[in-house]
Amino acid sequence: MIDDILKDTEDRMRKSVRSSQHELNIIRVGRANPALLDVVKVDYYGSILPLKQVANVAAPDSRLLVVQAFDRNAVSAIEKAIRKSDLGLNPLVDGNLIRLPIPQLNEERRKELVKYVHKLAEEGRVAIRNVRRDSNEMLKELEKNHDISEDDLHRTLNTIQQLTVKYIKEVDELLERKEKEIIED
């Protein structure tokens, strides 16, 4: 019972870290990264599909993304989806290739991005703390119903706190790397 709670707690905390990592990877920092286009959804013959399902995305150099549509008929839909995505990219169509030059960031935009990544990291920390809270409540309920001993409760609460510290530290490390990437670009 306690092992199941600990396993579930750790799984959910790990997912929170992965979610934070994904959100931080999407943020454009002036360097070409195919993950930047993960948020783009294309209206392809009446279906809304992720860009990855209708095209291949590559970063041939640090200032350019190249999108190659699997189907030539999808190029205009892909271009339209990228323009609508609010990523601030200007697609240049060349046959069935779409070139996306990545502009340099100015100082004001860098400061905005740093604030935004701090907000995303805090959301990740809050998600981890919410997992801790939920697990602690379950354990306290088990102890209240005499399903586990008071010693087991305290030992497990301590383990959950250690997991919380571990995963919050991972989010902080992700934040630190992203902040450095934004500032040094």
Side-chain angles (χ1 to χ4, degrees):
M1 191 178 318
I2 290 176
D3 290 339
D4 293 338
I5 291 173
L6 285 174
K7 184 180 180 318
D8 180 59
T9 300
E10 188 160 14
D11 287 346
R12 289 174 55 206
M13 286 182 178
R14 198 175 294 122
K15 285 178 185 172
S16 295
V17 171
R18 273 199 305 266
S19 175
S20 294
Q21 183 175 19
H22 177 74
E23 292 295 319
L24 290 171
N25 282 345
I26 290 172
I27 296 172
R28 181 171 64 87
V29 292
R31 200 172 300 136
N33 180 354
L36 174 65
L37 299 177
D38 285 353
V39 296
V40 176
K41 305 286 187 233
V42 180
D43 185 356
Y44 184 63
Y45 293 112
S47 298
I48 304 297
L49 300 171
L51 180 62
K52 287 181 183 178
Q53 290 184 9
V54 295
N56 188 27
V57 180
D61 67 51
S62 66
R63 294 275 172 231
L64 181 70
L65 285 174
V66 176
V67 179
Q68 183 165 13
F70 299 142
D71 176 5
R72 188 170 178 81
N73 297 324
V75 173
S76 63
I78 293 170
E79 178 192 13
K80 184 178 176 184
I82 292 169
R83 287 190 192 280
K84 273 186 11 185
S85 69
D86 201 26
L87 291 171
L89 298 175
N90 187 23
L92 305 170
V93 178
D94 181 16
N96 68 333
L97 276 182
I98 299 173
R99 298 181 197 287
L100 298 165
I102 307 295
Q104 283 285 99
L105 295 175
N106 62 27
E107 194 59 34
E108 183 180 328
R109 181 70 178 136
R110 288 179 202 274
K111 288 177 183 175
E112 288 173 16
L113 285 174
V114 168
K115 283 182 188 176
Y116 184 62
V117 297
H118 277 272
K119 177 180 172 273
L120 290 175
E122 183 57 28
E123 288 172 4
R125 289 186 209 104
V126 167
I128 291 166
R129 289 184 197 117
N130 286 341
V131 171
R132 175 187 61 189
R133 183 199 62 222
D134 295 345
S135 299
N136 287 352
E137 286 175 1
M138 274 192 276
L139 287 166
K140 288 175 182 173
E141 189 64 31
L142 288 173
E143 194 266 340
K144 182 179 161 188
N145 295 336
H146 304 292
D147 292 332
I148 62 172
S149 69
E150 193 174 329
D151 287 345
D152 286 342
L153 170 69
H154 291 295
R155 195 172 325 137
T156 310
L157 290 176
N158 188 33
T159 303
I160 289 173
Q161 181 58 34
Q162 290 170 353
L163 288 173
T164 304
V165 169
K166 173 186 170 186
Y167 288 108
I168 284 178
K169 184 177 182 210
E170 285 186 27
V171 169
D172 289 343
E173 289 168 358
L174 291 171
L175 168 65
E176 191 176 310
R177 278 197 301 272
K178 192 62 168 190
E179 192 173 4
K180 185 177 178 187
E181 190 179 322
I182 291 168
I183 292 170
E184 291 180 355
D185 178 48

